[in-house]
Structures are given as C-alpha cells and as structure tokens.
Amino acid sequence: EPEVTQTPSHQVTQMGQEVILRCVPISNHLYFYWYRQILGQKVEFLVSFYNNEISEKSEIFDDQFSVERPDGSNFTLKIRSTKLEDSAMYFCASTPGATAYGYTFGSGTRLTVV
Amino acid sequence: SQQGEEDPQALSIQEGENATMNCSYKTSINNLQWYRQNSGRGLVHLILIRSNEREKHSGRLRVTLDTSKKSSSLLITASRAADTASYFCATVFAGNMLTFGGGTRLMVKP
C-alpha cells in the first residue's frame, strides 16, 4: 500500500529558529496538504498545493509559513521563526485529484518549540 | 464555521458490541469523511460519503448521512480491541479542504 512519508518524526527547536518539515507524498498524487493538530485540539487545515502553487490556505498559514516542492518527490513546510504556539503535530497528506477523494496522511512530525 | 462535532466525546464498549458515533455540521457539504487515529499516529481514511448518498458500507463499517439534519453516523459492528482509537468526521464544503470535528475516543475492552 503506498504511503505518505514524513521526516523527522520528532523535532525540537528553539523559539525563533527556522524549521523545515519534509514529506514525500504518494507518487501519482497531484494534490498535497499540510494540517496540524495542537495537543488536545482539532486537526486544522493549513494549506493545499497543486501544480506548484498554493491552491488554498487558512488564516493560520501566515507569512511565517511557506511550502515548496523542491523536486519531483518532496513537499516541504517551512516555518521561518518558530513560536511556542507552533508546537503541534504536523501532518502531510496527498490526494490523486481535487474533490471527493479520501486523503492519505503521513504519520506526522511532532514539533516542539522550546 | 462548518466544523463537524462528534458525540459522544468518549465511548467505552466490550469487544463484540457495536459502536455508534455521531457527527453534526453546520453548512451544506460536498462530502463527509471519517478517519481513524491511533494514539500519536497519523489519520487513516475510513470512508467517504457524498452529499447525494445516504448510506455506505465498508466491511464492518456503516456510515449514514442525513443532509436535512446535517448529521452523519459511523457504526462499527462486532467491535474488536484493535478498533480502539479516536474517530473523526471531516466535512468538505468546497475545494478539497477538510474541516475536522473534535473526535470520539473509542475504547474496546477485550
């Protein structure tokens, strides 16, 4: 069964530092997503990406966040200057098409900002 | 907000019993999806039901959708200890953005 792979599984960073979370979506999927889940809270949408462009983003996804598909396989989320409140589980996901597809999620990266 | 809200928040049953979880939402939707999350792990897609569908089955799972009441239910029949997890509904209003509810924590005791 194809999987979405995320690295690292855990990341601890100092407040104010930049972090890059990495994801390898399923190879024939066209849409890529980042979601986050702060401990004890709901899973929240951050951004969707298609054809090398952001297609949707939430209010959470401010100028501190950016996404990139640097090559044919990786999809990254960068947080430029981390804050304590960025501590969360970050999930990458992909779908083959635009609508009415179930997502395939990765196992997540637990980001802890200290 | 069109977020889904599940109830109950927590459910504890014995192995072999059925588990029913409910989800309510606020606006019209394109589709509704159910996901499972084992503790500290990623979300696993279980089933998708479109707004023009009323019921779907997948193995031991049965999902219903009532768009007039803006609600859905997930039934797991003949539950197993391995079904212990959190279950989330997620709605799609437009595009393909998922809006998640708070989840139901299911414990199935052996």
Side-chain angles (χ1 to χ4, degrees):
Chain A
E1 178 107 19
E3 289 184 341
V4 172
T5 305
Q6 288 187 244
T7 55
S9 56
H10 293 89
Q11 173 112 30
V12 180
T13 189
Q14 296 263 340
M15 192 168 54
Q17 295 295 304
E18 175 183 285
V19 293
I20 297 176
L21 309 183
R22 302 181 191 279
C23 171
V24 178
I26 292 174
S27 61
N28 62 349
H29 284 189
L30 300 177
Y31 288 78
F32 315 123
Y33 312 86
W34 286 100
Y35 284 74
R36 78 173 185 189
Q37 185 179 30
I38 295 171
L39 189 64
Q41 297 187 23
K42 296 181 181 182
V43 178
E44 301 172 293
F45 169 76
L46 294 178
V47 67
S48 62
F49 191 85
Y50 168 71
N51 200 26
N52 284 319
E53 290 184 343
I54 290 173
S55 49
E56 288 182 90
K57 62 181 181 177
S58 70
E59 292 175 354
I60 303 167
F61 194 87
D62 62 21
D63 291 346
Q64 291 300 309
F65 291 87
S66 63
V67 289
E68 194 179 31
R69 187 153 165 83
D71 54 43
S73 60
N74 290 283
F75 179 51
T76 61
L77 174 69
K78 182 192 290 186
I79 309 175
R80 287 192 183 81
S81 177
T82 50
K83 307 182 186 78
L84 295 176
E85 54 265 36
D86 293 328
S87 295
M89 195 78 161
Y90 287 81
F91 294 106
C92 174
S94 65
T95 57
T99 57
Y101 288 94
Y103 281 47
T104 303
F105 281 88
S107 296
T109 293
R110 180 168 298 285
L111 176 66
T112 302
V113 183
V114 296
Chain B
S1 166
Q2 55 127 357
Q3 289 176 327
E5 297 296 338
E6 288 93 335
D7 85 271
Q9 289 188 328
L11 181 61
S12 181
I13 59 174
Q14 292 294 136
E15 210 165 26
E17 293 180 340
N18 295 341
T20 299
M21 289 158 268
N22 302 296
C23 169
S24 61
Y25 57 92
K26 295 179 182 175
T27 67
S28 61
I29 59 170
N30 179 290
N31 65 77
L32 184 146
Q33 304 179 26
W34 284 91
Y35 288 83
R36 184 185 74 224
Q37 184 181 35
N38 289 83
S39 180
R41 304 292 299 276
L43 296 138
V44 175
H45 177 252
L46 296 176
I47 203 160
L48 180 154
I49 187 164
R50 292 177 172 79
S51 60
N52 61 352
E53 296 175 314
R54 292 297 165 255
E55 188 171 312
K56 275 187 99 165
H57 297 254
S58 176
R60 293 184 297 113
L61 305 181
R62 173 178 168 255
V63 168
T64 62
L65 179 65
D66 186 335
T67 52
S68 67
K69 294 181 180 176
K70 293 186 169 58
S71 67
S72 173
S73 67
L74 170 67
L75 169 68
I76 303 174
T77 60
S79 62
R80 304 166 183 166
D83 294 328
T84 294
S86 290
Y87 292 82
F88 296 88
C89 71
T91 52
V92 177
F93 168 59
N96 206 23
M97 183 186 86
L98 294 174
T99 302
F100 282 87
T104 293
R105 293 188 311 280
L106 173 67
M107 173 169 290
V108 182
K109 299 179 210 172

